[in-house]
Amino acid sequence: MISIKTTNSLYEPEKVDVGIVHIGLGAFHRAHQAVYIEKNLNRNQGGDWGICAVNIRSNSQLVDELKANGCRYHIAEYQDSQNVELREINAIRDALFAGTDKEPLFEKLVSPKTKIVTLTVTEKGYYLAPADKTLRQDDPSIQHDIQNPASPKTAPGILVEALYRRKESALPPFTILSCDNMPNNGSLTRRAVCELAAHRSAEFAKWIEDNVAFPSSMVDRIVPAMSEASRERLQKELDCHDQNAVMCEAFSQWVVEDNFPQGRPDWEHDGVQMVKDVHPFETMKLRLLNGSHSLLAYVGLAAKYKTVAQAVADEKFASLIRHYMGFEAAPTLDLPQEVQVQTYIDSLVSRFANDSLQHQLSQIAMDGSQKIPQRWLNGAEERLANDVKQGDLNATALGVAAWLFYVHGEDLEGNQYKVDDPMAQTLSELHDRFADPESLVREALKLNDIFSTTLSQSEMFSRAVLNAYQTIISSGVTDCLSFNNRLSNNNTANFGG
């Protein structure tokens, strides 16, 4: 028997003003930032911090469905398969689709009531090169925004045009808060916006540098993509017939740099950690949680697992991610004294085992060329700089090998699948051009949009990736999990325990 707790809105939604515009209306925003705003509005019995949520390129259907329901929807927060809280959300007060006509969006962005703009557009939505983080000025969408600044296509282009209009109207700029999984997401957002703004004028770019706040943030909540099966499950288990409902885990964390010149909600009373420096928290989350997720995704898919819970239920996979987190990732972290890394690692393994979420590995595997530099490779580069010994990066190397196998788009039995990645064509052509594993690995590591020179020129790292890749294609990925490696306690053991 499932234990269900129900939480409803305690304020009058129609009396809430919009103070936040959010770009990237999807499941994660609805299950994370909007929930914190909902808690804030409940506690304050309303207020001026309602959200206008916007999609700029796709999913107009979601916008239409939300608007048809007064932007009201539900969140099912699963502690486990037997304990869930069903939460009513009214924090989103308006929803827009700005795929063709962006003027209604600009009307919101230039409104004096808008104090904050938040984003969840994924790493690729910032149009930054993975290796050096410069704006991809040769990208067709960025080229369009340079040539047509008043009718942009991209999130950076929209922000630049909105700030230009506010400046011309003598309005103070809004604060821009990235909520995407990128280290230094505030400074990276600033870079994308300022580099694009410089094409209008150096003076305008300098005005943004001097006047616009780009605080960083770290977000953490596992929110699987919704499917018809998950909607049917909510109807059956919770009697929830909301097409826009979202399932997620009960755990949630939001760490935000406290830099909001135009004001902000009093989030600290709603569970948000307001800090001076987000970097240690975001690096911990990216390298431990997200890094383990990606490792499970590529290695797990190669072993025919479909969900995170299925993969981590295999003791060899659980040992693999414990080793990766404890021995390869944790030594690269510089955390506040009060943060207990081992406690965090233990909690992650427990969260991954939550089988109520059915978190698909194929969802995590998307956009790997954008994700793995910050999740694995930056830490690996730091480890190499500290003269690590042979075998010290074997889990990371296995992840790279499994990713390289995955992006071929074909499993060992010859079954084909679609690879969803901005560099999918480049990676497919790489496999077509280089048939033998040694050439393939060597040329893959030369992709400087992904791998640094330090990694590509490391004989130890290259050999570890090649060994793992050869094992995967010859006998399967599970054979890679039996090699010996030092664990975090410096004892010699294998990933099978």
Side-chain angles (χ1 to χ4, degrees), residues 11-28:
Y11 57 94
E12 297 180 65
E14 62 276 4
K15 294 184 179 180
V16 171
D17 275 336
V18 168
I20 300 171
V21 174
H22 179 80
I23 300 175
L25 170 56
F28 187 80

Side-chain angles (χ1 to χ4, degrees), residues 289-305:
L289 186 151
N290 298 122
S292 293
H293 259 168
S294 288
L295 190 57
L296 286 172
Y298 300 116
V299 180
L301 286 169
K304 304 296 185 183
Y305 289 120

Side-chain angles (χ1 to χ4, degrees), residues 204-442:
F204 177 46
K206 182 67 163 55
W207 179 84
I208 293 176
E209 282 278 3
D210 292 344
N211 295 281
V212 182
F214 293 84
S216 288
S217 75
M218 185 275 271
V219 297
D220 188 359
R221 176 169 252 187
I222 297 172
V223 185
M226 291 297 290
S227 64
E228 283 306 312
S230 52
R231 292 186 183 93
E232 290 174 5
R233 179 182 169 191
L234 291 182
Q235 292 174 19
K236 180 180 178 181
E237 292 183 353
L238 309 182
D239 195 28
C240 176
H241 297 267
D242 181 356
Q243 270 295 109
N244 302 311
V246 181
M247 293 172 57
C248 60
E249 66 173 335
F251 178 90
S252 184
Q253 186 179 18
W254 197 8
V255 185
V256 180
E257 179 187 346
D258 200 354
N259 182 19
F260 293 81
Q262 304 306 318
R264 62 166 176 82
D266 53 345
W267 276 320
E268 62 269 32
H269 301 297
D270 307 304
V272 181
Q273 294 171 256
M274 304 303 300
V275 300
K276 289 184 178 179
D277 185 8
V278 174
H279 181 69
F281 297 92
E282 64 189 6
T283 305
M284 178 179 72
K285 191 252 181 172
L286 279 162
R287 296 184 183 175
L288 297 184
L289 186 151
N290 298 122
S292 293
H293 259 168
S294 288
L295 190 57
L296 286 172
Y298 300 116
V299 180
L301 286 169
K304 304 296 185 183
Y305 289 120
K306 294 186 180 300
T307 70
V308 172
Q310 288 173 352
V312 83
D314 184 328
E315 184 52 39
K316 286 187 176 181
F317 282 79
S319 294
L320 169 65
I321 61 168
R322 281 189 178 277
H323 165 82
Y324 162 76
M325 288 191 284
F327 186 70
E328 298 191 16
T332 71
L333 304 178
D334 183 14
L335 295 167
Q337 189 172 2
E338 67 271 15
V339 177
Q340 299 296 316
V341 177
Q342 189 58 52
T343 301
Y344 185 69
I345 290 173
D346 292 341
S347 73
L348 288 179
V349 176
S350 176
R351 289 167 63 191
F352 293 165
N354 185 347
D355 62 357
S356 65
L357 298 179
Q358 298 297 303
H359 197 183
Q360 300 294 308
L361 296 175
S362 57
Q363 178 191 355
I364 300 168
M366 293 168 58
D367 301 333
S369 65
Q370 307 289 297
K371 294 175 179 176
I372 64 174
Q374 59 209 17
R375 296 185 179 193
W376 299 339
L377 305 182
N378 293 345
E381 190 170 351
E382 291 180 25
R383 296 279 282 150
L384 285 172
N386 290 323
D387 297 322
V388 295
K389 297 180 176 62
Q390 186 73 32
D392 282 359
L393 289 173
N394 273 349
T396 302
L398 171 58
V400 172
W403 165 78
L404 185 57
F405 176 75
Y406 170 81
V407 297
H408 187 206
E410 185 176 306
D411 65 20
L412 290 174
E413 285 76 44
N415 301 308
Q416 296 185 342
Y417 51 86
K418 181 183 177 183
V419 176
D420 193 337
D421 191 287
M423 295 182 65
Q425 184 174 345
T426 298
L427 296 166
S428 177
E429 291 172 353
L430 196 69
H431 275 274
D432 291 341
R433 289 170 55 207
F434 301 99
D436 72 286
E438 189 162 355
S439 298
L440 177 66
V441 169
R442 181 182 64 249

